[in-house]
Amino acid sequence: AQSVAQPEDQVNVAEGNPLTVKCTYSVSGNPYLFWYVQYPNRGLQFLLKYITGDNLVKGSYGFEAEFNKSQTSFHLKKPSALVSDSALYFCAVRDLMIKAAGNKLTFGGGTRVLVKP
Amino acid sequence: DGGITQSPKYLFRKEGQNVTLSCEQNLNHDAMYWYRQDPGQGLRLIYYSQIVNDFQKGDIAEGYSVSREKKESFPLTVTSAQKNPTAFYLCASRIGNQPQHFGDGTRLSIL
């Protein structure tokens, strides 16, 4: 089975400070990992993904994420947060070993980010 | 512009009533998905379809039904058997190994 945990319901950060949103995962094989962002009453927008290669993945809007296989983590980071980064962030995983029909993703519960001016 | 269109944006259901949520995509994606979002619970998969005329139950299919008669369309019916339908419903589509692409959702409430 595949699972994702986002241990923090909310992260508060001052504008200009570094932002980190934590994600850990559990899979049987190799993971295919994603980060999405959601603004109020909108769908999810894709930020970045990791499937293989460099452990540091760069994505949209200045976000990046670091894949750590030994810690089974995929934390999202941004060096300098903006007020406009305030949103709900979701981590998701798919187990590449499982030939599950439909390429189903498992989502974490989400982390609300609040960036204060 | 290509994308996924969900309609309506807001929907109200009376007791004992079935309602249908629309999802249309012009991305030429093969796979389509329906998710339910409740506060603090992330997204849960209701149904998915990989090709026309075929669909599979997700983790919480009870009280819901779908059809996939056209590649572009994947409507979701919330039946009267779904006793707690109030939620935000999201439709997504995907092609190959690319990330799922989401619509802007339908918020369903009970009158």
Side-chain angles (χ1 to χ4, degrees):
Chain A
Q2 56 193 37
S3 66
V4 178
Q6 293 182 242
E8 300 157 316
D9 290 336
Q10 180 158 324
V11 170
N12 297 320
V13 63
E15 188 173 32
N17 282 1
L19 169 64
T20 298
V21 186
K22 295 180 181 177
C23 171
T24 58
Y25 65 89
S26 176
V27 294
S28 301
N30 291 321
Y32 189 9
L33 292 153
F34 302 84
W35 275 103
Y36 286 88
V37 61
Q38 184 181 35
Y39 296 98
N41 294 312
R42 300 295 302 274
L44 274 64
Q45 296 178 30
F46 168 72
L47 282 178
L48 50 81
K49 66 179 180 180
Y50 172 86
I51 185 167
T52 187
D54 195 346
N55 289 344
L56 185 63
V57 179
K58 293 191 182 298
S60 305
Y61 312 119
F63 283 94
E64 58 190 28
E66 186 168 9
F67 172 67
N68 187 318
K69 188 170 183 177
S70 63
Q71 297 185 5
T72 61
S73 67
F74 190 55
H75 301 332
L76 181 70
K77 300 180 181 183
K78 186 170 184 179
S80 178
L82 300 172
V83 172
S84 57
D85 293 328
S86 299
L88 187 57
Y89 291 80
F90 288 99
C91 182
V93 70
R94 180 163 76 83
D95 190 339
L96 291 170
M97 174 174 281
I98 297 175
K99 286 186 179 284
N103 288 350
K104 291 187 290 181
L105 293 181
T106 298
F107 286 84
T111 298
R112 188 164 303 281
V113 170
L114 181 59
V115 182
K116 297 183 180 179
Chain B
D1 284 345
I4 298 180
T5 301
Q6 290 189 243
S7 62
K9 195 166 180 63
Y10 299 96
L11 187 59
F12 298 91
R13 194 191 90 169
K14 296 180 181 178
E15 292 289 337
Q17 186 182 43
N18 293 352
V19 292
T20 297
L21 284 60
S22 171
C23 177
E24 303 278 331
Q25 54 101 358
N26 61 3
L27 300 166
N28 199 33
H29 285 179
D30 298 308
M32 297 187 74
Y33 305 80
W34 274 106
Y35 293 93
R36 170 179 172 139
Q37 185 178 16
D38 295 284
Q41 293 193 40
L43 276 66
R44 291 184 289 168
L45 183 63
I46 304 172
Y47 268 98
Y48 64 96
S49 167
Q50 295 190 92
I51 56 173
V52 175
N53 293 322
D54 185 60
F55 48 83
Q56 305 294 331
K57 292 182 179 180
D59 300 318
I60 55 164
E62 185 175 349
Y64 300 96
S65 65
V66 293
S67 63
R68 186 86 186 276
E69 297 177 0
K70 298 186 299 182
K71 188 175 187 177
E72 308 80 37
S73 179
F74 191 41
L76 173 74
T77 296
V78 184
T79 75
S80 57
Q82 172 50 246
K83 297 306 179 188
N84 184 24
T86 297
F88 190 49
Y89 291 86
L90 287 163
C91 180
S93 68
R94 177 190 55 79
I95 189 165
N97 243 358
Q98 295 303 307
Q100 291 183 18
H101 186 91
F102 285 80
D104 275 342
T106 293
R107 190 167 297 280
L108 176 61
S109 303
I110 298 298
L111 283 177

